[in-house]
Amino acid sequence: MTLATVRLKNPQEALALFGENDSTLRKIRELITARLSARGETVTVSGNPLEVSKAEAFLRDLLAIIRQGGRIEDVLEQSAALSSNGKSLSAETQQPAESWQLPNKLKPKTPGQRAYLEAIRQTDMVFGIGPAGTGKSYLAVAMAVAALKERRVKRIILARPAVEAGEHLGFLPGDLQAKIDPYLRPLYDALYDMLDVDRVESYIASKTIEIAPLAYMRGRTLSDAFIILDEAQNTTPEQMKMFLTRMGFASKVVVTGDVTQIDLPRHQKSGLAVARQILEGVEGIHFHHFTESDVVRHPLVGRIIRAYDLVEDQREAEKLEREKPRLPLAAPAIEPVPESAIELQVVPNWTSDI
């Protein structure tokens, strides 16, 4: 049996690693095959050499994340997967020195999130496409706030299609903000996480942060702005083209959506799916695709997404099989009858005398 010891610096580090009432420690034990025991500020790992090596790497990776100021509760599975392959989540998510300073010391939790943030920093137009829980919208808002604080832009514009209202917002009670608020609530929740309530309200009052429903954006040119279109899978191709062409000078555009959760009528194509077909590969536009490994919600969310993806893949394969052209059935071959099998019957020529 092989033993390995990991020593923690102080009780605070032990609390961050083990969690309240050892709640995180129990989850860690579920993700490794080696035996793990913790006493005070010392963690001992025992088992066969390979099991101990992977478990120790996993623990040291979690400690590195904690020492960088991160939280480990949402990334246990990602860290375990990378550690078992000789990689490190803390290293894979380390941002370069020139990265923007995100609010609340926010950091990417997966390599995919890090690549997404770098794409937004370096590219004027970014499409973030992927399943729920990957941080598409939240990180876009964080980058918008960072850009505003660093005076890279003068305002933030948030947009989201109001599919349930059919974009006919005039039938809803209240002014424009009251009409669109329910559809933009996730973006506002992110803003309130990153800025004081008074600051958010002040920005909204001064139009530094502006709501811009798609139904009211036609004819505008949006310059010196960080523009976010959320739930873009629920735009029509015409709406998507209209939105993208609103971009003015010194602006950044981030479009987020999940093409597996389209709420449009069945006959209506998604503007996000069409844009991906048309614009992928165009210079100055970056498409970032998240996967279930980027999900940072409850671990069940990633498993649910995988289960749905398997069913969707199976349905797509069955559809392709049904649409495959069929060759016409050949007429059955008629085998010639051998001459030996043909019996010649001689009919005598009877004559009768009358």
Side-chain angles (χ1 to χ4, degrees):
M1 179 179 289
T2 303
L3 293 175
T5 301
V6 178
R7 301 191 185 279
L8 312 181
K9 291 181 177 179
N10 49 54
Q12 290 75 23
E13 201 167 82
L15 179 61
L17 181 64
F18 303 150
E20 291 283 349
N21 299 318
D22 291 343
S23 58
T24 307
L25 180 60
R26 287 192 292 272
K27 295 177 183 177
I28 293 172
R29 282 178 172 146
E30 293 174 0
L31 293 170
I32 61 176
T33 54
R35 187 173 181 276
L36 189 151
S37 61
R39 181 169 296 178
E41 296 161 30
T42 302
V43 183
T44 304
V45 185
S46 58
N48 68 50
L50 182 59
E51 290 175 343
V52 170
S53 175
K54 290 183 177 181
E56 183 183 6
F58 178 31
L59 288 171
R60 294 194 182 281
D61 189 32
L62 294 178
L63 276 176
I65 294 171
I66 291 169
R67 289 166 182 171
Q68 291 170 2
R71 296 181 58 191
I72 63 172
E73 291 84 355
D74 298 330
V75 296
L76 293 175
E77 290 193 354
Q78 290 91 335
S79 176
L82 286 172
S83 299
S84 66
N85 292 319
K87 297 180 181 179
S88 164
L89 182 62
S90 59
E92 295 280 334
T93 56
Q94 187 69 35
Q95 293 181 279
E98 61 271 19
S99 296
W100 297 355
Q101 187 67 43
L102 298 181
N104 296 339
K105 298 182 179 179
L106 187 65
K107 296 179 183 295
K109 295 183 177 180
T110 69
Q113 288 189 351
R114 176 196 175 189
Y116 179 56
L117 293 176
E118 280 303 293
I120 293 174
R121 184 175 67 85
Q122 297 177 6
T123 314
D124 287 338
M125 184 176 290
V126 174
F127 287 77
I129 302 174
T134 52
K136 305 181 299 292
S137 304
Y138 195 86
L139 291 175
V141 173
M143 289 294 279
V145 171
L148 185 65
K149 285 185 172 182
E150 296 178 15
R151 302 181 184 276
R152 299 176 185 273
V153 296
K154 294 181 180 177
R155 55 181 173 158
I156 296 172
I157 298 175
L158 309 175
R160 204 180 197 207
V163 170
E164 294 82 355
E167 290 290 355
H168 299 300
L169 302 177
F171 293 103
L172 294 176
D175 59 14
L176 176 58
Q177 182 169 337
K179 294 175 193 293
I180 197 64
D181 264 358
Y183 306 102
L184 289 169
R185 182 51 51 192
L187 297 177
Y188 279 114
D189 288 344
L191 280 173
Y192 286 121
D193 277 352
M194 300 170 197
L195 295 169
D196 295 335
V197 174
D198 292 341
R199 180 67 63 86
V200 174
E201 298 301 331
S202 172
Y203 279 157
I204 291 173
S206 65
K207 299 296 184 183
T208 302
I209 295 178
E210 181 184 353
I211 55 172
L214 290 179
Y216 289 76
M217 287 188 65
R218 191 175 301 277
R220 301 182 63 186
T221 300
L222 306 174
S223 300
D224 294 307
F226 197 114
I227 312 157
I228 299 172
L229 173 61
D230 193 32
E231 296 290 329
Q233 75 274 6
N234 290 327
T235 62
T236 65
E238 295 77 14
Q239 287 173 328
M240 177 63 77
K241 180 181 177 183
M242 180 271 292
F243 171 79
L244 296 178
T245 53
R246 300 308 93 200
M247 183 181 184
F249 291 107
S251 287
K252 275 190 179 292
V253 172
V254 179
V255 179
T256 67
D258 179 358
V259 291
T260 68
Q261 294 188 3
I262 297 172
D263 299 321
L264 297 170
R266 287 186 176 275
H267 67 276
Q268 180 65 66
K269 290 184 177 179
S270 165
L272 180 59
V274 172
R276 182 172 59 178
Q277 295 171 356
I278 295 173
L279 300 177
E280 197 155 20
V282 173
E283 185 179 356
I285 300 177
H286 180 85
F287 282 81
H288 182 85
H289 296 274
F290 292 93
T291 67
E292 68 272 5
S293 63
D294 294 306
V295 174
V296 290
R297 291 181 182 170
H298 193 286
L300 270 178
V301 176
R303 296 169 202 160
I304 290 170
I305 291 168
R306 283 195 294 273
Y308 272 92
D309 286 346
L310 285 174
V311 173
E312 289 296 326
D313 291 344
Q314 184 177 353
R315 287 177 179 171
E316 187 65 24
E318 292 173 354
K319 180 182 176 183
L320 292 174
E321 183 64 26
R322 288 195 301 269
E323 294 175 351
K324 189 181 296 183
R326 306 289 183 183
L327 294 175
L329 293 175
I334 301 177
E335 297 183 3
V337 180
E339 291 183 5
S340 60
I342 300 176
E343 295 183 1
L344 296 177
Q345 192 173 25
V346 179
V347 180
N349 185 16
W350 295 99
T351 58
S352 61
D353 296 331
I354 299 177

